[in-house]
Amino acid sequence: MAENRVSLHDRLIRMLIEMKLVTEDAVAKVLEEQKEKGGKLTDLLVSMGLVSKKDISVALCREYGCPAIDLGRFKIIPEVIGLIPKKIAKQYSIVPVSKIGSILTVAMTDPLDILAIDDLKAASGCEICPVLAQEKDIANAIAEHYDGVTHDSIEAMVDDIGKHDADINVIEDAKGGEFNNAELLRLTQDAPVVKITNLILSDSVRLRSSDCLIEPLEDQVRVRYRVDGMLVEGKKLPFKMQFPIVSRLKVMADLNIAERRLPQDGRFKLKIQNHEVDFRISILPTSKGEKVALRVLDKSQAMLSLDTLGFEQKPLADLKAMSEHPHGMILVCGPTGCGKTTTLYSVLKYIDTPDVNIVTVEDPVEYQLPGINQVTARPDIGLSFASALRSILRQDPDIIMVGEIRDFETVDIAIKAALTGHLVLSTLHTTTASGSMVRLMNMGVEPFLIASSILMVAAQRLVRRVCPNCKEPHQVDPAVIERIGLKKGAVVYRGKGCKACQNTGYRGRVGLIETLVLTPAVRDLILDRRDEHIITETARKEGMETLRMSAIKKVIEGTTSIEEVLRVTDGEQDVPVR
């Protein structure tokens, strides 16, 4: 088999040279790199920028004499998936695509692998028609169709549960309707309940959601996922499943399963699709039952690097420059879920060195950062942001991060820390950078303290990326083009909708940011208690790029759509600088 793989590589190299995509000298360098560092030849060719994945596909198609397929645009039905066992699909890196008569079309990375084709023929009882597909696409398809969750499987489980109602009925004591703890524990270990709960959790990871909501309605349970900032409805379950699922989640988070009258919060960790995922759980009693909100903290999706957040060049330079100051305060503001904490984590990672002492206080700690001391605030036992901050200041810190400024006591201590030689990072719930100045004054902070302690305020939002798989040019009403300040004839894009993006036209998100650096002119306005719009206008004259301006650049680049710009950014920022 090793000799066969080498010969395939040799034929691929020959084909790429014949197609004049690479030179023999370039190939020699790649082979030398492969000897030193290892890795696949095709991956090295792409990573070194010599060829594209499309070039390799074309060359392989010519060499193998078979067509290529884009699995991201192909819908595979469960009946076809069921023809090939999961073990064989993973062993040979294949996925069945379609079946016509007795012929089964199978996507493969190596259509000449005779052993794989023989095993597939024996397993399925069909003649095998191999087609070429990218290895990454096949891995994603296997994860989706074999490891992932389909609504059909949930439906099948619900149907199965319907046949065994006695196994999941809630049992109450005669004493005032209180639940027997032994019966509750037995209920949470029931196989169908465990499987459906696990399916909901793995679905939340597969869909790349940030939150999962399990909500009791009149006669059913609704499951929704927040994907790229928008709620997507999942499968509705019978109402009788509400209590068993909530109880199962309570057991996983080590909460009180018998308590249904009071809110509860907790967290748990699972290993899903070969990586660890943290779940924060919040349970809220409602008139129809307990509502569950799960925050999904998938570390594999976290981008803790300033350069990968998608910020424009100038605000990114401002953020890096201000974070290198020895003391002062940097605030990041915006609504819940706009990526403020991720930005602060990225700043900490950027400035973290062995010679500085960094301490954070958060509610709760979302991601564990190596080498950084992180404290979880516990207001229920008296460990508030303010009290934790007082203790942190006695720990000889150089850099302090406060998860959120919520009251005057916290901001007062934070500002004093910034004035006494510490770099303080925190977040504030305001909509614009200049609005933070007014918010701090309303909280009781004196203008001279704001002007002398704060280095910069950044306002942040997240917009959805246009799906690269189904991206296409889009004609927009000229009035809209003119309204947001695009040039006439500008080409804008939108996603048509495909399997990769769940037919939404968007996949992933990118950050927008405006950075208000406190220049002497801005400090004077703060000392004079001037209005927000005057501070904004002055900052724009000095070069500040607003959220709307940042979003428009993303439209011109083809990263996002006009609809996203109008949805996320403030229309008042259309007003030109006088």
Side-chain angles (χ1 to χ4, degrees):
M1 289 298 294
E3 292 179 359
N4 186 41
R5 284 198 295 269
V6 171
S7 65
L8 289 176
H9 281 176
D10 289 343
R11 294 203 299 272
L12 174 61
I13 290 171
R14 188 194 71 240
M15 184 62 67
L16 291 172
I17 292 173
E18 288 179 0
M19 294 169 65
K20 298 183 179 179
L21 294 173
V22 295
T23 63
E24 293 185 3
D25 291 340
V27 169
K29 290 181 180 179
V30 174
L31 293 175
E32 189 66 30
E33 182 83 5
Q34 188 182 33
K35 285 181 182 178
E36 292 180 5
K37 300 182 179 180
K40 293 186 177 181
L41 178 67
T42 53
D43 291 342
L44 289 173
L45 287 167
V46 174
S47 65
M48 294 176 69
L50 297 174
V51 295
S52 66
K53 289 184 178 180
K54 185 177 180 181
D55 293 333
I56 292 176
S57 295
V58 171
L60 288 173
C61 285
R62 290 189 183 182
E63 181 61 35
Y64 289 138
C66 70
I69 185 173
D70 183 355
L71 286 175
R73 296 175 178 268
F74 209 93
K75 184 176 181 180
I76 307 173
I77 61 175
E79 289 78 5
V80 173
I81 290 293
L83 293 173
I84 300 296
K86 172 182 174 180
K87 183 178 179 180
I88 293 179
K90 286 194 167 186
Q91 178 183 351
Y92 293 115
S93 186
I94 65 94
V95 65
V97 175
S98 67
K99 180 177 180 289
I100 300 176
S102 62
I103 298 177
L104 178 66
T105 300
V106 178
M108 308 177 66
T109 55
D110 182 3
L112 298 183
D113 190 339
I114 303 301
L115 294 178
I117 291 175
D118 286 344
D119 282 356
L120 292 172
K121 187 183 296 184
S124 64
C126 300
E127 292 297 319
I128 304 301
C129 174
V131 294
L132 183 69
Q134 293 288 338
E135 184 175 7
K136 184 177 179 181
D137 291 342
I138 290 178
N140 289 339
I142 290 174
E144 178 180 352
H145 295 289
Y146 286 101
D147 298 336
V149 182
T150 66
H151 294 312
D152 293 333
S153 62
I154 291 180
E155 287 177 343
M157 284 192 183
V158 171
D159 290 341
D160 181 60
I161 288 170
K163 300 172 185 175
H164 304 89
D165 284 344
D167 293 338
I168 64 163
N169 284 341
V170 178
I171 299 175
E172 298 185 18
D173 281 342
K175 300 176 182 179
E178 293 186 358
F179 294 95
N180 182 295
N181 285 346
E183 291 293 346
L184 290 177
L185 286 173
R186 185 196 65 78
L187 186 66
T188 62
Q189 295 166 2
D190 191 72
V193 172
V194 171
K195 286 182 180 179
I196 287 186
T197 305
N198 290 345
L199 288 175
I200 292 172
L201 296 175
S202 58
D203 238 357
S204 66
V205 175
R206 181 178 62 85
L207 293 171
R208 302 173 299 106
S209 65
S210 60
D211 300 88
C212 173
L213 304 179
I214 303 172
E215 305 163 300
L217 303 180
E218 291 290 346
D219 56 353
Q220 58 190 352
V221 178
R222 179 173 65 180
V223 180
R224 294 192 290 174
Y225 305 96
R226 190 172 292 280
V227 180
D228 296 335
M230 306 295 286
L231 280 175
V232 176
E233 195 158 318
K235 207 64 188 171
K236 291 185 174 69
L237 303 172
F239 187 78
K240 62 189 175 185
M241 291 302 303
Q242 190 265 339
F243 181 71
I245 290 173
V246 174
S247 298
R248 172 63 185 168
L249 290 169
K250 285 181 180 179
V251 169
M252 295 172 73
D254 199 22
L255 300 178
N256 184 355
I257 59 174
E259 179 57 73
R260 301 178 63 200
R261 301 162 299 173
L262 297 174
Q264 295 189 68
D265 296 296
R267 66 189 306 158
F268 57 91
K269 183 183 293 186
L270 296 178
K271 189 170 185 180
I272 299 177
Q273 296 175 8
N274 295 322
H275 57 269
E276 289 185 354
V277 182
D278 286 334
F279 291 88
R280 281 190 356 225
I281 181 172
S282 173
I283 299 176
L284 179 70
T286 71
S287 60
K288 298 181 179 64
E290 292 177 289
K291 175 185 175 182
V292 178
L294 291 161
R295 171 60 59 88
V296 185
L297 302 171
D298 188 349
K299 296 179 182 180
S300 69
Q301 299 289 333
M303 297 184 298
L304 301 183
S305 170
L306 286 174
D307 294 317
T308 61
L309 296 178
F311 298 152
E312 297 299 325
Q313 187 173 353
K314 184 187 182 304
L316 179 61
D318 289 341
L319 194 57
K320 288 182 175 180
M322 293 300 107
S323 66
E324 292 171 355
H325 278 242
H327 55 80
M329 182 183 287
I330 297 174
L331 292 175
V332 180
C333 62
T336 301
C338 71
K340 300 186 297 295
T341 303
T342 299
T343 297
L344 289 183
Y345 278 157
S346 301
V347 171
L348 289 180
K349 189 173 180 182
Y350 175 72
I351 59 180
D352 181 27
T353 57
D355 59 344
V356 296
N357 180 15
I358 301 177
V359 187
T360 77
V361 53
E362 307 165 58
D363 183 19
V365 173
E366 292 194 5
Y367 295 105
Q368 297 288 341
L369 301 177
I372 293 177
N373 307 286
Q374 296 173 270
V375 178
T376 299
R378 295 282 303 278
D380 55 324
I381 61 172
L383 185 61
S384 64
F385 279 122
S387 60
L389 195 48
R390 288 193 191 94
S391 298
I392 287 171
L393 289 171
R394 294 192 288 270
Q395 293 287 319
D396 187 33
D398 298 298
I399 301 167
I400 304 169
M401 186 186 103
V402 183
E404 182 184 344
I405 289 178
R406 298 175 178 173
D407 51 45
F408 174 75
E409 186 180 13
T410 305
V411 71
D412 183 54
I413 300 171
I415 285 178
K416 288 175 181 175
L419 291 172
T420 54
H422 305 87
L423 180 64
V424 180
L425 312 176
S426 190
T427 68
L428 193 65
H429 280 286
T430 57
T431 55
T432 63
S434 53
S436 298
M437 305 296 102
V438 179
R439 167 77 172 135
L440 290 173
M441 286 185 235
N442 289 338
M443 290 175 71
V445 182
E446 292 294 333
F448 75 90
L449 290 175
I450 298 173
S452 57
S453 63
I454 294 181
L455 299 169
M456 183 191 77
V457 181
Q460 185 170 331
R461 299 289 189 279
L462 292 174
V463 291
R464 292 181 292 173
R465 290 180 182 269
V466 174
C467 176
N469 292 326
C470 58
K471 185 176 179 180
E472 64 179 10
H474 172 49
Q475 286 292 113
V476 182
D477 188 337
V480 176
I481 293 280
E482 184 178 355
R483 173 187 165 192
I484 68 171
L486 286 176
K487 295 180 180 179
K488 290 183 179 180
V491 179
V492 297
Y493 293 87
R494 70 173 178 185
K496 185 170 58 176
C498 65
K499 185 178 180 181
C501 63
Q502 309 292 322
N503 291 315
T504 62
Y506 299 96
R507 184 172 174 82
R509 289 189 288 178
V510 64
L512 306 178
I513 196 167
E514 65 178 28
T515 51
L516 173 62
V517 178
L518 268 66
T519 62
V522 173
R523 293 181 196 276
D524 289 341
L525 293 175
I526 294 170
L527 291 171
D528 291 340
R529 294 180 179 269
R530 303 302 293 271
D531 292 338
E532 176 183 343
H533 72 276
I534 296 176
I535 296 174
T536 300
E537 188 171 331
T538 301
R540 288 182 62 182
K541 288 178 180 177
E542 295 191 337
M544 181 183 81
E545 296 181 357
T546 65
L547 290 167
R548 173 59 63 86
M549 294 163 66
S550 176
I552 290 172
K553 287 186 177 180
K554 295 285 189 292
V555 172
I556 294 172
E557 294 168 0
T559 303
T560 191
S561 66
I562 288 181
E563 290 81 3
E564 277 294 284
V565 172
L566 297 176
R567 181 181 71 86
V568 172
T569 60
D570 188 357
E572 291 180 358
Q573 296 185 354
D574 293 337
V575 179
V577 177
R578 294 191 294 271

